[in-house]
């Protein structure tokens, strides 16, 4: 160590670990703690060495501002507390702010329609996940909300389109529609239906009138494994 290093350590000890008689009755702390570390302690006790805010431009600005001094929009300052204390206070305020919207939104949401898609055995510990690729689309022009999804296992060659009117004042029939691709790309009627069967890998709405699907051929051949198709809703 150089003499400069030793002097630095000595100055640090002299500044932060002097005896402090006023602290003798506080949980056995007989000297000042390091000024940075005290902010990181997860305690509600006051700081041993609170910061000196004299001359701070922000505090002077608030003190001289008639409108901001008592503003509820400014988070209160706790010069005697650690960052952990301030963090808990802020979390409490945020939770309180979010609770009212959560209650209002929660009470305004209700079940509009219930459609049974599939049933599973109650004896199974973990029922199979048959619902896949849910994609939502809101047609603002017609006020209709669509859900595009596929079902696994016995209906891999189908995509399902569920629609629901978002305008409760209108009477539009709700419905769920299944589109089966199967062997629609076969060249002729004599071709085996099993040899050119397609399943849906992915599906998204392209716009209000068109859905885009990615199809996979069940019997893979070179250059014929994937098909990108545009499906008009009409």
């Amino acid at each position: 160590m150089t003499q400069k290093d030793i002097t630095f350590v000595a100055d640090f000890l002299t500044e932060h670990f002097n005896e402090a008689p006023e602290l003798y009755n506080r949980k056995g702390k007989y000297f000042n703690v390091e000024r940075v570390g005290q902010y990181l302690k997860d305690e509600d006790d006051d700081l041993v060495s609170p910061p000196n805010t004299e001359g701070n431009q922000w505090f002077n600005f608030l003190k001289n501002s008639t409108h901001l001094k008592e503003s509820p929009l400014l988070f209160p300052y706790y010069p005697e507390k650690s960052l952990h204390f301030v963090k808990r206070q802020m979390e409490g305020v945020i939770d309180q702010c979010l609770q009212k919207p959560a209650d209002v939104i929660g009470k305004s949401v209700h079940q509009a329609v219930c459609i049974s898609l599939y049933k599973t055995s109650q004896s199974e510990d973990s029922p199979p996940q048959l619902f896949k690729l849910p994609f939502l689309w809101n047609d603002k022009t017609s006020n209709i909300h669509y859900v595009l999804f596929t079902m696994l296992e016995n209906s891999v060659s189908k995509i399902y389109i569920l629609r629901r009117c978002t305008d409760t004042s209108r009477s539009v029939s709700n419905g769920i529609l299944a589109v089966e691709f199967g062997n629609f790309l076969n060249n002729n009627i004599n071709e085996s239906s099993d040899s050119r069967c397609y399943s849906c890998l992915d599906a998204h709405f392209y716009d209000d009138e068109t859905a885009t699907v990615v199809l996979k051929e069940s019997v893979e051949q070179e250059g014929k494994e994937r098909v990108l198709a545009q499906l008009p809703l009409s």
Side-chain angles (χ1 to χ4, degrees):
M1 299 177 67
T2 65
Q3 185 61 39
K4 186 178 181 180
D5 296 330
I6 297 175
T7 303
F8 178 78
V9 174
D11 291 343
F12 179 86
L13 296 175
T14 302
E15 181 180 358
H16 296 294
F17 290 89
N18 285 338
E19 287 190 2
E22 68 275 9
L23 301 177
Y24 285 175
N25 295 326
R26 293 189 55 187
K27 297 183 179 180
K29 296 178 181 177
Y30 300 133
F31 48 81
N32 289 331
V33 297
E34 196 272 317
R35 291 184 178 179
V36 174
Q38 64 177 345
Y39 289 101
L40 305 178
K41 289 188 176 182
D42 192 5
E43 298 176 355
D44 290 339
D45 295 338
D46 292 345
L47 297 177
V48 177
S49 299
N52 181 14
T53 59
E54 185 178 354
N56 186 292
Q57 294 180 354
W58 172 249
F59 293 119
N60 292 339
F61 171 69
L62 292 182
K63 189 183 301 182
N64 298 327
S65 173
T66 306
H67 301 288
L68 291 178
K69 188 183 300 183
E70 304 296 334
S71 173
L73 301 178
L74 291 178
F75 193 78
Y77 176 60
Y78 303 94
E80 305 288 335
K81 298 296 184 180
S82 71
L83 293 178
H84 279 282
F85 176 87
V86 176
K87 174 176 175 287
R88 284 196 298 271
Q89 293 291 112
M90 182 173 289
E91 287 175 342
V93 173
I94 294 174
D95 290 341
Q96 186 178 5
C97 291
L98 296 178
Q99 187 59 46
K100 186 67 175 180
D103 293 340
V104 173
I105 295 173
K107 292 176 181 177
S108 66
V109 175
H110 62 278
Q111 178 178 301
V113 63
C114 179
I115 300 177
S116 178
L117 297 178
Y118 61 85
K119 293 182 180 180
T120 59
S121 173
Q122 295 181 352
S123 61
E124 296 183 35
D125 296 333
S126 56
Q129 185 65 39
L130 301 181
F131 196 66
K132 187 183 178 185
L133 299 177
F135 182 74
L136 308 180
W137 181 268
N138 187 17
D139 185 349
K140 296 181 175 61
T141 304
S142 303
N143 291 329
I144 295 180
H145 195 67
Y146 291 94
V147 183
L148 190 66
F149 61 94
T150 60
M151 302 282 285
L152 302 180
E153 294 190 354
N154 61 348
S155 57
V156 293
S157 63
K158 300 177 183 178
I159 65 168
Y160 295 84
I161 304 175
L162 172 67
R163 77 171 186 175
R164 172 75 185 176
C165 187
T166 57
D167 186 357
T168 56
S169 63
R170 292 175 55 197
S171 177
V172 177
S173 61
N174 304 303
I176 182 169
L177 175 72
V179 180
E180 182 168 13
F181 299 99
N183 57 352
F184 75 107
L185 290 179
N186 286 356
N187 293 329
N188 56 70
I189 59 175
N190 297 324
E191 195 168 351
S192 171
S193 61
D194 296 332
S195 63
R196 298 285 300 279
C197 187
Y198 293 86
S199 59
C200 182
L201 285 179
D202 200 358
H204 281 233
F205 272 89
Y206 181 76
D207 55 27
D208 290 343
E209 301 174 352
T210 311
T212 302
V213 294
V214 180
L215 303 175
K216 174 185 177 182
E217 192 173 352
S218 58
V219 181
E220 293 190 356
Q221 302 176 19
E222 186 176 354
K224 297 184 179 180
E225 293 87 3
R226 306 290 186 267
V227 175
L228 181 68
Q230 294 285 83
L231 179 69
L233 292 182
S234 57

